Amino acid sequence: MIASLTIGFVILYVGVLLNDFILKNTSIVMLLFVVIAVIIANKIGNKLWYGIGSFILFFIFSSQFTIFLGEPEEIQLITDSLVLQGIVALIVTLILDLIEK
């Protein structure tokens, strides 16, 4: 359980780093990493909620990190990005659930 949540979190964080530093603001890369993180976390944990769980951990970390260390205008940008990532994580989980049934 902890391994799948941690690996999903790390993949999400790598996606953000790639988006910010290498592939300047390409949202498709970040969303692709959300899909990859959800699929891998679910496969490692053998349950569908691990991908959502790793996203929730990432959401809490990112929002708190931005609130404490970011600038005020960054809070709205990160919130918009995290909401979009959360929607993608939910859609991927629903699709995986439909495929497994």
Side-chain angles (χ1 to χ4, degrees):
M1 175 181 142
I2 293 174
S4 62
L5 293 175
T6 304
I7 290 172
F9 177 87
V10 168
I11 292 171
L12 288 167
Y13 191 68
V14 167
V16 168
L17 291 177
L18 280 174
N19 186 48
D20 285 345
F21 297 113
I22 296 174
L23 306 166
K24 300 288 184 188
N25 295 324
T26 22
S27 296
I28 192 74
V29 172
M30 208 163 33
L31 297 179
L32 179 65
F33 271 87
V34 171
V35 171
I36 292 169
V38 169
I39 291 172
I40 290 175
N42 289 339
K43 292 292 180 187
I44 291 173
N46 292 326
K47 293 190 180 179
L48 284 176
W49 73 272
Y50 287 124
I52 298 292
S54 56
F55 173 75
I56 291 171
L57 286 175
F58 181 71
F59 181 86
I60 292 169
F61 172 78
S62 297
S63 59
Q64 293 303 312
F65 182 78
T66 303
I67 289 171
F68 289 123
L69 298 176
E71 298 175 11
E73 58 270 358
E74 289 179 349
I75 294 172
Q76 184 63 39
L77 293 173
I78 194 71
T79 304
D80 293 343
S81 175
L82 288 171
V83 167
L84 181 61
Q85 289 176 348
I87 292 170
V88 170
L90 286 172
I91 290 171
V92 170
T93 303
L94 290 173
I95 291 172
L96 289 174
D97 183 40
L98 291 174
I99 289 173
E100 287 185 3
K101 287 185 178 183

